[in-house]
Amino acid sequence: VPLQNIHLVARWLGTLEKVLEQNSLGSHADYRVFMSAEPAPSPEAHIIPQGLLENAIKITNEPPTGMYANLHKALDLFTQDTLEMCSKEIEFKCIFFALCYFHAVVAERRKFGTQGWNRPYPFNNGDLTISINVLYNYLEANPKVPWDDLRYLFGEIMYGGHITDDWDRRLCRTYLSEYIHAEMLEGEVYLAPGFLIPPSLDYKGYHEYVDNNLPPESPYLYGLHPNAEIGFLTVTSDGLFRTVLEMQPKESDAGGGSGASREEKAILEEIIERLPEPFNMGEIMAKAGDKTPYVVVAFQECERMNTLTDEIRSSLKELDLGLKGELTITSDMEELANALFYDNVPESWTRYAYPSLLSLGAWYADLLLRIRELEVWTMDFVLPATVWLAGFFNPQSFLTAIMQSTARKNEWPLDKMCLSVEVTKKNREDITAPPREGSYVHGLFMEGARWDIPSGVIADARLKELTPMMPVIFIRAIPVDRMDTKNVYECPVYKTRMRGPTYVWTFNLKTKEKAAKWILAAVALLLQ
C-alpha cells in the first residue's frame, strides 16, 4: 500500500474487523478468510487492528537460509525442459548450474552484514530466471560461447543493476570471473573448497548432486574466512543485549531525584570535568606562520573539534540545570539523559563528530586521545614521527596534504600523482623520527585477513583474530606512472566496520596470491 493511502486502508481494516465479527457466528463450517501482508517498513504502518491479529492463525514465509536451501530454491525455479532447450547442451548446463550457485551466494551473503555487502540489495528470483533466458539467447545466437559478454550482462546489468557501491560491483564481477570461464568446460573447476561443478546431469540429478556433495554450511562457501561468521554473530548478540537493556524500566522519578538521575548526574559531571578547554584559534594561527598543507589540516581539525566540544559542554550544562530543577526538561535533554544512562553516544554529539561504533565510555576516552594528538601537533607544528590516521575527523584531508606538499616541493602536477603505500616491519614504538618526505601512519586494522610481517604480504587470517593490527605504514606521494600495479590487492580503507559510506582511500597492498581471493573475503583496512 502506498504510504499516502495508508489512512484509507486503516479505516477499511476497521470495517473489515466488524464484518468478520458479524460473520463469525452462524456461517458455514468451512468459511475462512485469508489475508496476506508484507512487513511494515515503519511503526506508522502498523495498522492491522489488534482484534484481527489476535484471532488469526499467523503463518510467515521466511526466505531460505544457508547455501543448501538457497541452491535448491534456485534450482526449483526451473524444470527438466529448461535443461533440454539449448542446442549447446553441455555449455548451457555447465553455466546454468554455476549461475544458480552464484545466485544463492549473492542472496545469502547478506547475512554477513557489511562484510557480505557494503549495502543491502534486493536480489530476487527474476534476476536468475532472466539471466538464464539471456544465457540461452546468447548461446543460440553465437557459434562460440561469448564469455566476456555473458559475464558483463550478468554482473553489470542483471545483478549489477541493483548495485550502487563500486566495491560491491567489484565483488559481483569477481564472483562471475571465478565461477564462469572457459576452463569450466574442460574439467575440474571448484565453486567452493570441496564443491566441484557437476558433470552433465538431468534436473533431478542436479538436486541429488547438491544433496550429496555440498559441504556443510560455512563462510568458505562464499569465499569468506570463518571469522566473518564470528563477527556477524557478535554484532547480532550485541544488538540483542542492547535491546534487552533498553527495555529495562528505569527507576520511577516519583521519589524526587531517583537512582537513575543520580547516575546520569555522576556521568555528566565526570565528562565535563575531563573535557579540555577549546583550542585558541588565534594563538594557533599566530604560532603557525607559514600555511603549509599540513598546517591547514591542523586548523580544520582544531575548528571541528571546538564545534564538537562546545556542543558537549553546552548540552551537558543545560541538562545539569534541568536535573537541578532550574530549567524545564525538554525532549532534547531527555534524549541526552537516556543516552548517558544507556552508555550511548548522544545523537546531538554524533552530528558534529566522526563515524564511530564505540559505546559512550570508550568513545569519550577516544575523543580525549584525539584532542591530545592535536595539542601535541599544534604546539610546534612539527609532523609527529608517526601520525594516528584514525585521529582525524577527515583522514582524506591529511592524505591529500601528503600529495600537496610533495607536489609543491617537486613542482609536480597534483592530478598526475598518487599515494604509494609501504607496510613497514615496525611498530609505533620503534619509530623515532618522521620520514624525509611523506608520513608514517599507525592505528590501522585489517578485517578479513592479516598482514604477514616476515614475508610482507597479505595472508589468511588466524581463527578468532577478527581485526589484527597493522604495523606502521609509510605513505608518500609518487607520479601515477611509477605506481606498482603487479601482485597487489586494491584494499579499501574505511573508518569503521560499517564500511559503505565511511570509505576513506584505496591502499595497494602486496599479495602473493591472486587478488580475487581477497576480494571475495572482503578484506579491508579499518581505522577503528
Side-chain angles (χ1 to χ4, degrees):
V1 179
L3 273 177
Q4 59 268 32
N5 303 343
I6 208 131
H7 60 283
L8 300 175
V9 179
R11 273 219 303 269
W12 178 79
L13 281 170
T15 315
L16 176 70
E17 189 180 10
K18 290 194 185 84
V19 172
L20 283 177
E21 222 169 277
Q22 287 154 11
N23 291 324
S24 63
L25 300 169
S27 54
H28 193 281
D30 292 338
Y31 167 63
R32 299 284 182 276
V33 174
F34 289 88
M35 289 173 66
S36 65
E38 287 194 346
S42 63
E44 299 79 70
H46 288 258
I47 55 166
I48 300 178
Q50 200 174 341
L52 270 182
L53 286 173
E54 282 174 355
N55 292 326
I57 295 172
K58 288 163 284 294
I59 299 171
T60 59
N61 180 13
E62 296 280 336
T65 58
M67 260 326 274
Y68 180 82
N70 269 286
L71 195 44
H72 277 304
K73 189 161 184 217
L75 289 169
D76 285 340
L77 300 169
F78 306 99
T79 61
Q80 179 61 31
D81 296 347
T82 316
L83 298 178
E84 289 168 6
M85 69 187 185
C86 185
S87 58
K88 295 191 182 67
E89 191 181 324
I90 299 291
E91 293 90 334
F92 179 81
K93 282 174 152 184
C94 202
I95 301 172
F96 163 82
F97 190 87
L99 266 179
C100 287
Y101 189 85
F102 166 74
H103 175 81
V105 163
V106 296
E108 188 61 5
R109 194 178 161 109
R110 266 197 300 249
K111 73 176 181 189
F112 296 101
T114 49
Q115 250 187 297
W117 295 102
N118 269 344
R119 295 179 167 86
Y121 300 112
F123 299 123
N124 57 55
N125 293 343
D127 299 328
L128 180 57
T129 50
I130 293 168
S131 294
I132 298 294
N133 285 338
V134 168
L135 171 64
Y136 166 74
N137 292 336
Y138 267 69
L139 289 184
E140 292 296 329
N142 291 284
K144 280 196 177 139
V145 179
W147 296 103
D148 288 343
D149 296 4
L150 289 173
R151 281 193 296 261
Y152 183 84
L153 286 162
F154 304 147
E156 299 290 340
I157 297 169
M158 301 305 164
Y159 286 84
H162 295 295
I163 298 176
T164 52
D165 181 280
D166 290 342
W167 298 101
D168 287 342
R169 200 168 271 276
R170 175 178 82 160
L171 171 64
C172 181
R173 271 201 307 270
T174 307
Y175 267 133
L176 286 164
S177 62
E178 291 291 295
Y179 294 164
I180 296 176
H181 47 80
E183 292 76 56
M184 67 198 291
L185 302 176
E186 267 116 63
E188 303 207 329
V189 168
Y190 287 91
L191 290 169
F195 190 55
L196 280 165
I197 286 193
S200 177
L201 302 166
D202 64 357
Y203 180 68
K204 200 161 145 260
Y206 282 125
H207 273 300
E208 284 168 4
Y209 183 84
V210 173
D211 285 339
N212 301 331
N213 295 286
L214 186 71
E217 180 68 21
S218 84
Y220 285 128
L221 296 179
Y222 310 85
L224 288 158
H225 188 275
N227 284 351
E229 194 159 40
I230 301 174
F232 102 87
L233 290 172
T234 308
V235 170
T236 309
S237 50
D238 279 354
L240 180 68
F241 285 134
R242 191 155 279 288
T243 309
V244 170
L245 176 71
E246 286 169 6
M247 284 165 67
Q248 264 191 313
K250 288 172 72 174
E251 294 150 50
S252 78
D253 284 328
S258 69
S261 61
R262 272 205 301 279
E263 201 169 308
E264 283 140 26
K265 213 161 163 22
I267 299 167
L268 179 152
E269 280 165 3
E270 189 191 356
I271 292 177
I272 287 190
E273 196 180 307
R274 292 171 61 196
L275 194 65
E277 285 302 304
F279 289 100
N280 183 330
M281 294 311 292
E283 240 175 65
I284 288 174
M285 282 185 171
K287 237 190 294 186
D290 195 17
K291 270 203 163 180
T292 66
Y294 293 128
V295 168
V296 172
V297 171
F299 281 167
Q300 289 169 345
E301 291 290 321
C302 290
E303 278 176 339
R304 287 190 67 173
M305 189 56 85
N306 279 353
T307 309
L308 174 58
T309 53
D310 288 348
E311 171 59 32
I312 294 174
R313 198 175 285 108
S314 62
S315 61
L316 288 177
K317 284 192 170 152
E318 194 177 58
L319 176 62
D320 191 35
L321 293 172
L323 291 175
K324 284 179 183 155
E326 292 172 27
L327 277 180
T328 313
I329 296 247
T330 62
S331 61
D332 286 351
M333 290 187 201
E334 218 162 277
E335 274 171 29
L336 177 59
N338 279 336
L340 297 181
F341 184 74
Y342 291 123
D343 197 27
N344 292 336
V345 183
E347 179 83 20
S348 63
W349 299 1
T350 53
R351 214 175 302 146
Y352 299 104
Y354 29 81
S356 175
L357 300 175
L358 300 172
S359 59
L360 180 60
W363 182 88
Y364 191 60
D366 176 70
L367 173 81
L368 297 178
L369 284 176
R370 287 166 183 256
I371 295 175
R372 182 82 199 106
E373 286 280 311
L374 282 175
E375 283 172 351
V376 171
W377 193 14
T378 52
M379 223 165 345
D380 50 10
F381 286 102
V382 172
L383 202 61
T386 161
V387 171
W388 181 33
L389 194 58
F392 294 108
F393 280 83
N394 186 357
Q396 290 94 319
S397 65
F398 179 75
L399 295 172
T400 309
I402 295 178
M403 294 209 288
Q404 285 170 330
S405 50
T406 310
R408 283 185 192 180
K409 196 165 125 190
N410 300 333
E411 295 183 346
W412 290 340
L414 194 60
D415 58 349
K416 299 272 191 297
M417 294 177 65
C418 62
L419 289 182
S420 139
V421 173
E422 187 192 317
V423 184
T424 69
K425 288 181 166 25
K426 296 180 172 168
N427 286 328
R428 182 187 170 185
E429 297 73 44
D430 310 329
I431 305 277
T432 50
R436 275 212 303 276
E437 66 172 30
S439 170
Y440 290 124
V441 299
H442 67 271
L444 287 93
F445 303 86
M446 187 175 271
E447 186 173 46
R450 67 186 171 88
W451 184 260
D452 187 60
I453 296 177
S455 60
V457 292
I458 306 173
D460 282 316
R462 294 194 179 101
L463 203 57
K464 296 186 183 174
E465 285 184 18
L466 301 192
T467 49
M469 185 134 190
M470 290 290 284
V472 168
I473 298 176
F474 174 38
I475 299 180
R476 61 198 176 88
I478 56 168
V480 171
D481 51 18
R482 275 200 241 150
M483 184 62 143
D484 185 13
T485 51
K486 262 206 201 93
N487 303 332
V488 297
Y489 164 60
E490 293 183 9
C491 183
V493 181
Y494 297 104
K495 290 180 186 172
T496 72
R497 280 207 322 266
M498 283 309 289
R499 301 197 175 202
T502 70
Y503 170 75
V504 176
W505 208 275
T506 305
F507 283 3
N508 281 7
L509 300 179
K510 287 197 171 60
T511 171
K512 282 191 185 131
E513 305 192 55
K514 54 181 193 176
K517 173 175 177 170
W518 310 122
I519 294 173
L520 299 189
V523 174
L525 287 173
L526 308 177
L527 294 182
Q528 200 184 79

